[in-house]
Amino acid sequence: EIVMTQSPATLSVSPGERATLSCRASQSVSSNLAWYQQKPGQAPRLLIYGASTRATGIPARFSGSGSGTEFTLTISSLQSEDFAVYYCQQYNNWLGTFGQGTKVEIK
Amino acid sequence: EVQLVQSGAEVKKPGESLKISCKGSGYSFTSYWIGWVRQMPGKGLEWMGIIYPGDSDTRYSPSFQGQVTISADKSISTAYLQWSSLKASDTAMYYCARGGAMGHFDYWGQGTLVTVSS
């Protein structure tokens, strides 16, 4: 099973600042990587798939990069609505695993 | 509009069986995978398994293989997650989600809260 490791566990950022979240896979997943946002009491929302493609309706301040085993989600200028937990997920041959999540909190 | 509507919250006792559902609408149900994701209280997301309703091809995470059964009834556009004997550790929110073309989950149900307590 591919293990996904996210860092940091918690990221404290001021509104308007840039946030950089990392995700590492225990073996190569090519570009089969997605990012999700989850707010309290809500279902997760897809942000990025294919490592770098924004999902429909996702603002341009969200961007994804990387391939193989190292991936990054960048939020260029944090808005109040962006404070949430973010998960990466790999999918390989229709078997997936999630990272443990990064909580982005207000500094 | 793509929608996944899950069945309501359940309260069960250890050892009981349970089947929860996820009804898809607004798209061709047989053409997309449907996955199940567990979220235990205060914890992260766990990928459980996935089914292709078109031919019932099913894949399970090793962590969940043998613990749950995923099925689908394409005639009513509904996927299921079932347990034969619940444990207290099955207490969690369970989400269904549609598998996009690349294997990510592009649409999610609202979640079904399962509580197992004696």
Side-chain angles (χ1 to χ4, degrees):
Chain A
E1 184 176 82
I2 298 174
V3 177
M4 307 301 291
T5 302
Q6 292 186 240
S7 61
T10 304
L11 186 61
S12 298
V13 185
S14 299
E17 289 188 340
R18 173 188 294 258
T20 302
L21 289 67
S22 296
C23 177
R24 173 177 292 178
S26 61
Q27 64 188 75
S28 177
V29 299
S30 186
S31 294
N32 296 323
L33 192 285
W35 290 94
Y36 303 87
Q37 177 194 68
Q38 188 180 34
K39 297 179 181 179
Q42 296 185 15
R45 177 175 71 144
L46 176 67
L47 299 175
I48 301 284
Y49 64 95
S52 60
T53 302
R54 274 190 304 277
T56 303
I58 301 303
R61 64 180 181 272
F62 291 92
S63 63
S65 63
S67 66
T69 62
E70 300 284 344
F71 300 89
T72 300
L73 174 69
T74 302
I75 311 170
S76 60
S77 177
L78 270 157
Q79 306 299 301
S80 58
E81 61 267 29
D82 300 335
F83 292 96
V85 180
Y86 293 83
Y87 296 93
C88 64
Q89 179 222 342
Q90 68 81 23
Y91 38 90
N92 193 35
N93 292 325
W94 291 104
L95 283 173
T97 46
F98 288 95
Q100 79 279 18
T102 291
K103 182 180 181 180
V104 177
E105 63 177 26
I106 301 174
K107 187 174 183 180
Chain B
E1 178 193 8
V2 174
Q3 283 194 310
L4 296 172
V5 179
Q6 298 185 229
S7 49
E10 301 275 1
V11 180
K12 292 288 190 178
K13 291 183 173 12
E16 292 186 332
S17 62
L18 176 65
K19 192 174 190 178
I20 63 175
S21 66
C22 169
K23 182 173 177 61
S25 62
Y27 72 99
S28 175
F29 186 74
T30 55
S31 299
Y32 291 82
W33 294 78
I34 290 280
W36 288 93
V37 176
R38 183 174 78 174
Q39 187 166 39
M40 299 176 77
K43 301 299 183 183
L45 305 175
E46 298 175 90
W47 197 99
M48 301 178 69
I50 200 161
I51 187 167
Y52 189 75
D55 61 6
S56 295
D57 185 6
T58 308
R59 318 280 173 91
Y60 293 94
S61 162
S63 300
F64 291 94
Q65 180 84 49
Q67 307 304 307
V68 296
T69 301
I70 294 170
S71 60
D73 184 340
K74 60 186 178 183
S75 70
I76 54 172
S77 300
T78 301
Y80 301 96
L81 177 66
Q82 69 180 89
W83 296 260
S84 60
S85 181
L86 285 160
K87 302 184 279 289
S89 57
D90 293 318
T91 294
M93 181 71 81
Y94 293 88
Y95 294 101
C96 67
R98 192 183 81 162
M102 294 182 66
H104 54 283
F105 290 137
D106 56 2
Y107 290 91
W108 292 68
Q110 82 278 19
T112 296
L113 181 62
V114 174
T115 303
V116 184
S117 174
S118 56

